[in-house]
């Protein structure tokens, strides 16, 4: 080390930021103030990554997107990466996903790209320290608060985490069935709203759509246009997670966690809760088909998914 | 004994598998009631005009929540008079659309500003972007059609009119309402203990400033 230069003794330095790496957690519940929910777009990935390192399910970590960051660790840590199958290396050696991995001070984790899917969640034992707003450390990029100064990581940023008692790096196996399915094709189960009228069922259901390049944490816009009803006098009403919004140009938008709280466009479909994590893995160029199911089927799918996730979390914490 | 639910009974609308919208003129009273005494299964309540959308957790809680809301609504009475608070918002009326709006209303610029400042507005609900309030109470003559194509960026502090509403953009965002002026009041300031200074039911008056 050069004389005079002092590396921080704790945390990790961001050497390369990645395409869009943000601090996320389980999000906030203040839509009534106009504040979006935020939070990791692939919630099971967040929960499993946190469980692997012994964190609470809502602990803050890094959501990495398309191309990941490089982090130089100044202190030992227990970390895990869950989600899309990013190529990652720890000091040049392959870094496994879906595992708790001990990192030593001085080591560099380099997360590269992913061939499928879009996002992964990097958990650190103890949980990342970050700006907490309305009970959440999630980064709101649009309004510029939470996380790391309300923005995505930049080179030179310094990440720190809370100290926590040691947790063993268990070699538990996470069954592929509970991981969020990745593209390139997605079948998304949806439920119609009172806006699903006229030609819209035929235009929207059981046909292929392509995810456009306009896919961010607010929403994933689809490439193909449908004939959209136009009603300029329509009132603004609350959005709910997974809504399909139909703006006047007819290109549907699937809403993600940073979507605005209210909207004035028709919203003929809502993706079921069990399939919301898939929205976080929609990658530009992926194809998808929207398939209508009943509320009962949706509830059964949610219960089965939640049961499997809770069981996995329980096993990992033992 | 269940009380009569009034002249306008509530209607319910499922949104997907994990949300329930309650359409009722008592939406604001229901929101206040759920805040004071949460209903199991309701993760979050989001108000709009005569509407309260409930996000459910777990999703299957819907039927029990619906029954609970019906019981709750039967006990609620309209609470007129809002919050009892009045906010005076200082506005410099120099917006890009001010002249257009005055002409649309058939008024001179100064007469339009005077009419807007005389309007008794009220916060109907918050939403769209952090701290953005939908202000109701515009006289019909002052209600302005939205822009055909929204502006890509509306400056922070812009005071705007759109449809039946008036509003203030707390942050630079895209926006389709007509800009009549600007205020220095920050309606989303995280350095304050209460980052959002207004709430549903507050009365609001614009005051012209040079």
């Amino acid at each position: 080390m050069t004389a005079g230069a002092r590396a921080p003794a704790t945390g990790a330095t961001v050497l390369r930021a990645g395409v869009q790496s943000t601090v996320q957690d389980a999000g906030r519940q203040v839509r009534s103030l106009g504040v979006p929910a935020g939070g990791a777009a692939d919630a099971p990935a967040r929960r499993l990554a946190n469980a692997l390192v012994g964190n609470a399910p809502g602990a803050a970590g890094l959501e990495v997107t398309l191309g990941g960051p490089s982090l130089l660790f100044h202190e030992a840590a227990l970390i895990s990466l869950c989600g899309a199958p990013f190529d990652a290396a720890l000091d040049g050696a392959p870094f496994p996903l879906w595992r708790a991995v001990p990192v030593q001070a001085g080591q560099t984790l380099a997360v590269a790209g992913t061939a499928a899917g879009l996002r992964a969640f990097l958990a650190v034992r103890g949980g990342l320290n970050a700006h907490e707003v309305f009970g959440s450390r999630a980064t709101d990029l649009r309004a510029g608060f939470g996380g790391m100064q309300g923005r995505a990581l930049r080179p030179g940023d310094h990440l720190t985490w809370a100290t926590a008692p040691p947790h063993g790096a268990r070699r538990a196996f996470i069954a592929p069935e509970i991981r969020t399915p990745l593209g390139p094709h997605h079948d998304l189960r949806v439920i119609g709203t009172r806006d699903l009228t006229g030609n819209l069922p035929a235009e929207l259901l059981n046909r292929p759509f392509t995810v456009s390049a306009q896919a961010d944490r607010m929403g994933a816009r689809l490439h193909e246009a449908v004939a959209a009803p136009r009603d300029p006098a329509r009132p603004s009403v609350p959005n709910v997670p997974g809504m399909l919004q139909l703006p006047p140009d007819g290109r549907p938008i699937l809403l993600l966690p940073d979507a605005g709280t209210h909207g004035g466009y028709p919203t003929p479909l809502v993706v079921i809760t069990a399939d919301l994590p898939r929205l976080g893995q929609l990658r530009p160029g992926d194809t998808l088909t929207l398939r209508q199911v009943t509320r009962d089927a949706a509830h059964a799918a949610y219960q089965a998914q939640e049961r499997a996730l809770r069981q996995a979390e329980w096993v990992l914490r033992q | 004994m269940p009380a009569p639910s009034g002249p306008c009974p509530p209607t319910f609308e499922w949104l997907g598998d994990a949300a329930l919208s309650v359409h009722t003129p008592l939406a604001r009273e229901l929101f206040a009631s759920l805040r004071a005494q949460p209903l199991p299964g309701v993760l979050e309540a989001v108000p709009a005009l005569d509407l309260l959308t409930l996000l459910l957790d777990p999703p299957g809680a819907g039927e029990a929540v619906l029954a609970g809301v019906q019981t709750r609504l039967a006990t609620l009475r309209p609470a007129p008079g809002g919050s009892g608070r009045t906010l005076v918002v200082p506005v410099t009326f120099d917006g890009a659309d001010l002249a257009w709006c005055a002409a649309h209303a058939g008024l001179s610029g100064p007469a339009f500003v005077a009419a807007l400042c005389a309007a008794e507005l009220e916060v109907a609900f918050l939403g769209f972007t952090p701290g953005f309030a939908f202000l109701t109470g515009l006289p019909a003559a002052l209600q302005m059609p939205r822009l055909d194509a929204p502006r890509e960026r509306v400056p922070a502090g812009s005071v705007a009119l759109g449809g039946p509403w008036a509003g203030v953009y707390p942050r630079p965002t895209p926006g389709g309402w007509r800009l009549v002026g600007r205020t220095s009041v920050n309606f989303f300031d995280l350095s304050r203990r209460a980052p959002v200074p207004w709430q549903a039911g507050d009365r609001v008056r614009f005051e012209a400033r040079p």
Side-chain angles (χ1 to χ4, degrees), chain A residues 42 55-56 65 103 128 131 174 177 226 234 237 258 261 267 298 314:
Chain A
D42 181 346
N55 285 347
T65 314
V103 174
L128 289 183
H131 187 210
I174 294 182
E177 307 88 78
V226 304
R234 198 185 156 87
V237 297
D258 285 2
T261 59
T267 51
W314 184 83

Side-chain angles (χ1 to χ4, degrees), chain A residues 87-170:
Chain A
D87 287 321
L90 186 62
D91 275 356
F95 178 91
L97 272 73
W98 306 102
R99 293 265 180 82
V101 181
V103 174
Q104 305 309 318
Q107 287 192 303
T108 298
L109 173 72
V111 182
T114 175
L118 190 62
R119 296 183 173 92
F121 191 87
L122 177 73
V124 184
R125 169 75 177 149
L128 289 183
N129 296 321
H131 187 210
E132 188 172 309
V133 179
F134 297 119
S136 163
R137 296 173 181 188
T139 310
D140 188 315
L141 290 169
R142 183 86 178 267
F145 64 82
M148 175 70 75
Q149 297 162 36
R151 57 169 175 77
L153 292 192
R154 290 178 191 156
D157 280 345
H158 185 222
L159 299 173
T160 62
W161 45 88
T163 52
H167 183 81
R170 304 174 56 84

Side-chain angles (χ1 to χ4, degrees), chain A residues 17-42:
Chain A
V19 174
Q20 187 183 76
S21 308
T22 58
V23 176
Q24 296 296 341
D25 59 10
R28 39 183 76 84
Q29 279 112 40
V30 276
R31 286 175 164 90
S32 59
L33 295 180
V35 179
D42 181 346

Side-chain angles (χ1 to χ4, degrees), chain A residues 29-35 133-134 142-143 145 191 193-194 232 236-238 240 260-262 270 272-273 295 298-299 302, chain B residues 13-14 16-19 31 35 44 46-48 51 53 55 59 63 125-131 146 171 174 188 190 195:
Chain A
Q29 279 112 40
V30 276
R31 286 175 164 90
S32 59
L33 295 180
V35 179
V133 179
F134 297 119
R142 183 86 178 267
F145 64 82
I191 293 176
T193 71
R194 53 169 76 165
S236 284
V237 297
V240 304
T261 59
H262 291 65
V270 183
I272 70 170
T273 305
R295 284 179 61 233
H299 292 157
Y302 167 81
Chain B
E13 176 190 5
W14 298 112
D17 67 331
F31 182 53
R35 287 214 141 165
E44 197 176 349
V46 195
L51 172 66
T53 295
L55 303 186
E63 313 297 339
F125 63 96
L126 284 87
F128 166 58
T129 185
R146 295 176 178 89
R171 307 219 160 205
F188 188 72
L190 290 167

Side-chain angles (χ1 to χ4, degrees), chain B residues 31-62:
Chain B
F31 182 53
S33 163
L34 291 175
R35 287 214 141 165
Q37 202 186 338
L39 199 58
V42 176
L43 178 68
E44 197 176 349
V46 195
L49 188 67
D50 294 336
L51 172 66
L52 192 66
T53 295
L54 308 176
L55 303 186
L56 309 172
D57 184 29

Side-chain angles (χ1 to χ4, degrees), chain B residues 1 3 27 41-42 58 66 81 86 90 99 107 119 123 130 135 138 151 155 157-158 160 167 177 181 184 192 200 204:
Chain B
M1 190 189 76
V42 176
L66 196 153
T86 298
L107 296 170
V123 177
L135 304 175
L138 278 180
R151 286 184 171 88
S158 293
W177 293 10
S184 57
R192 288 189 307 241
V204 176

Side-chain angles (χ1 to χ4, degrees), chain A residues 235-290:
Chain A
S236 284
V237 297
N239 289 328
V240 304
M243 252 179 174
L244 181 138
Q245 197 177 59
L246 210 49
D249 73 0
R251 292 167 64 211
I253 301 171
L254 288 159
L255 300 186
L256 265 79
D258 285 2
T261 59
H262 291 65
Y265 297 135
T267 51
L269 297 172
V270 183
V271 174
I272 70 170
T273 305
D275 286 353
L276 292 181
R278 301 186 189 205
L279 299 183
Q281 297 294 356
L282 291 180
R283 177 188 177 107
D286 282 358
T287 56
L288 63 84
T289 307
L290 304 165

